[in-house]
Amino acid sequence: MGTDPAVVPGKQWEVAAVPQPRREKLTGWGRTAPSVAQVVRPRTREQIAEAVAGAGPRGVVARGLGRSYGDPAQNAGGLVLDLTGMNRILGVDLDQGTVEVEPGVSLQQLMQAMLPFGYFVPVTPGTRYVTVGGAIGCDIHGKSHHADGSFAQHVLELDLLLADGSVRTLTPETEPELFWATAGGMGLTGVIVRAKLRMMRVETSRIQVETQRVANLDDAMERMTLTDADYRFSVASLDNLATGPSLGRGWVESGNFATLDQLPEKLRGNPLAFSPKPLAAMPDVFPSGLLNRRTIRLMNEANFRRAPKDARPHLATIGGFFHPLDAIHDWNRVYGAAGFLQYQFVVPFAAASTLRRIVERVAVQGAPSFVTVLKRFGPASPGYLSFPADGWTLTYDFPTGTPGLAGLLRWMDAQVLEAGGRLYLAKDSRLDAGDLAAMYPRLEAFRKVRAEADPHGVFVSDQSRRLGL
């Protein structure tokens, strides 16, 4: 086994009492639906077990870096376990390309530790400030789902601390039901206290990207469909306010990790360099409503004009290609105190007309969206509540003060439901419980596994109460 002591701390934490909980107001990344809970920051699995045992009648849920947009990591009146202190890399096997970590290890931490050895995280979303525990609990996806699937499909095994304090080691082979109820299970089966991941081999830390302006939605979808097999990573950014022949105009970015011989000479001396530094931190001074139809229309126009008309290959950094918003710490503050709502859905490829209908309705209504992102998903994972499934997925960021937003979203829910699609629970803060079962046909099976693992319902969240998960 090849290991490197520099990334394997090895030191065991001394057994200590559970830190005293503190009363805190929590929100998701969208800054909506705040609730107050007792928050405790355990450093060992023994402290987690002790905290879970004393959780009280309102139960407990684990929380990482707070990047879920809605309320799955909140627990009003109950206990929240902040696991960011459990952030040790426990072991590395460089020959096998695997790593064992505690749940609070972030994707950025993994990248910094593993890239020098030629390994990258198996799946990354639009931010690297996500913990491994959260990535499994939400079964996150990225720009490579059509090629790599979702995060949990790269988890070889995990240790799950159950409500009775016992710990079970789960693999997809030995305990598939509880494993796949935990992967994407929104933290409701127990607390993940260790995970073993399979990493992705890379030659360099640069991505060979091809960017091309697209005239409209049809153009974007055709280009992405035709190039699916050529690129590991693919995404389209759309002008969500464009109408008529320009409906859904924008640009498509497609890429693969660069090989060593694709780097210019000046970069070959350190081909796996990775030292991201945020450019700035967003002050919390912006009024709600700053991002509105007028300002977003101006930004959309500028971004569209900046995109090259013809396909133009270039090298991008990991931060620039995967996580551009991470360049500004606390970028969500630009929405002001009222916050925003991220709405992501998937519909089958055969329901492309539904996708078009939604894009058209949002544009005609003039609902502004700072981020409008289109991707293609590959086959679903076995996760009971995992979100990705074969089809088109579209994401909007709507300021909460958008006129007519509630009615628009209810109409969108109905369209998605009729098309056989679903919403992403990691971003949800408002889904109707009655629609949930139709969107997630394995919901009852999930509830059965959850009830067997946690018969007294110790693990709960604001979201689980709202949706009856």
Side-chain angles (χ1 to χ4, degrees):
M1 178 173 122
T3 60
D4 186 277
V7 294
V8 186
K11 177 182 177 182
Q12 297 299 310
W13 294 101
E14 294 179 1
V15 175
V18 180
Q20 286 298 307
R22 299 176 57 180
R23 190 171 183 269
E24 293 185 25
K25 184 170 77 173
L26 301 173
T27 70
W29 191 245
R31 310 187 81 187
T32 60
S35 66
V36 176
Q38 296 293 323
V39 179
V40 66
R41 196 163 187 254
R43 305 296 294 267
T44 67
R45 62 173 64 187
E46 290 78 13
Q47 291 182 348
I48 293 176
E50 189 175 336
V52 168
R58 294 288 289 180
V60 58
V61 73
R63 181 181 176 96
L65 288 165
R67 289 302 182 115
S68 291
Y69 287 80
D71 54 359
Q74 298 169 220
N75 183 21
L79 186 65
V80 172
L81 303 177
D82 175 349
L83 297 184
T84 54
M86 290 191 66
N87 61 350
R88 294 178 302 162
I89 295 176
L90 302 171
V92 175
D93 188 328
L94 295 177
D95 296 332
Q96 298 297 317
T98 62
V99 59
E100 294 184 42
V101 299
E102 289 186 326
V105 167
S106 71
L107 298 193
Q108 165 154 306
Q109 195 180 341
L110 264 184
M111 292 174 199
Q112 289 175 320
M114 297 300 290
L115 268 168
F117 304 104
Y119 288 103
F120 188 65
V121 295
V123 169
T124 179
T127 174
R128 55 186 178 272
Y129 298 120
V130 176
T131 62
V132 169
I136 298 171
C138 296
D139 198 13
I140 61 171
H141 60 272
K143 297 179 174 72
S144 65
H145 190 273
H146 62 283
D148 296 318
S150 55
F151 193 90
Q153 291 175 279
H154 303 270
V155 177
L156 300 174
E157 64 181 38
L158 60 86
D159 287 349
L160 186 70
L161 189 146
L162 301 175
D164 63 4
S166 65
V167 175
R168 282 161 68 174
T169 297
L170 312 177
T171 76
E173 294 77 28
T174 57
E175 291 208 58
E177 291 189 347
L178 189 52
F179 181 93
W180 289 113
T182 301
M186 310 309 292
L188 300 175
T189 58
V191 182
I192 297 167
V193 294
R194 181 191 66 92
K196 182 177 181 180
L197 315 175
R198 182 191 306 109
M199 301 291 282
M200 175 196 301
R201 200 80 171 96
V202 295
E203 283 187 38
T204 78
S205 59
R206 303 288 174 135
I207 302 94
Q208 185 78 14
V209 181
E210 189 172 277
T211 303
Q212 183 170 19
R213 187 187 296 181
V214 287
N216 50 45
L217 181 62
D218 291 338
D219 195 8
M221 294 171 74
E222 181 179 4
R223 177 173 171 76
M224 295 176 79
T225 303
L226 290 176
T227 60
D228 222 12
D230 300 327
Y231 297 101
R232 191 166 202 161
F233 309 103
S234 185
V235 63
S237 296
L238 308 182
D239 174 353
N240 85 299
L241 295 177
T243 57
S246 297
L247 179 76
R249 70 176 183 173
W251 64 96
V252 173
E253 290 180 295
S254 308
N256 295 305
F257 266 101
T259 57
L260 189 58
D261 59 6
Q262 288 177 315
L263 293 189
E265 192 65 35
K266 63 180 181 181
L267 296 179
R268 292 186 187 178
N270 189 11
L272 294 164
F274 177 66
S275 55
K277 295 177 182 174
L279 301 175
M282 188 73 76
D284 199 4
V285 297
F286 295 97
S288 300
L290 178 65
L291 292 181
N292 53 45
R293 189 180 307 176
R294 183 174 64 84
T295 55
I296 287 181
R297 191 182 296 280
L298 289 173
M299 286 191 293
N300 285 349
E301 183 69 29
N303 289 332
F304 179 72
R305 297 291 174 191
R306 192 163 52 241
K309 291 182 179 178
D310 301 316
R312 185 177 301 172
H314 61 280
L315 283 175
T317 62
I318 286 171
F321 182 67
F322 292 111
H323 321 117
L325 290 176
D326 283 349
I328 308 294
H329 265 318
D330 298 320
W331 61 263
N332 57 340
R333 291 176 173 176
V334 74
Y335 286 90
F340 68 108
L341 185 147
Q342 188 160 98
Y343 186 100
Q344 183 173 1
F345 67 89
V346 59
V347 292
F349 289 124
S353 59
T354 298
L355 175 72
R356 164 175 274 281
R357 194 156 50 245
I358 291 174
V359 171
E360 188 167 22
R361 169 73 181 267
V362 171
V364 169
Q365 186 163 325
S369 173
F370 179 52
V371 172
T372 306
V373 172
L374 178 69
K375 295 194 290 280
R376 288 169 61 83
F377 279 157
S381 84
Y384 292 80
L385 298 184
S386 291
F387 167 67
D390 263 319
W392 294 100
T393 180
L394 185 63
T395 303
Y396 287 106
D397 273 2
F398 294 121
T400 53
T402 300
L405 183 60
L408 173 65
L409 296 179
R410 284 196 296 273
W411 177 84
M412 290 167 69
D413 290 347
Q415 296 295 310
V416 171
L417 195 55
E418 184 178 342
R422 57 197 183 212
L423 305 190
Y424 190 11
L425 293 180
K427 298 180 176 179
D428 168 61
S429 58
R430 46 156 296 281
L431 181 63
D432 185 89
D435 291 342
L436 181 70
M439 291 182 175
Y440 286 88
R442 302 183 70 199
L443 177 61
E444 280 307 317
F446 168 78
R447 286 171 171 156
K448 181 173 182 292
V449 176
R450 182 192 171 200
E452 291 172 355
D454 180 16
H456 302 294
V458 171
F459 297 106
V460 293
S461 66
D462 289 357
Q463 183 183 60
S464 72
R465 290 192 185 92
R466 178 169 55 80
L467 292 177
L469 285 171

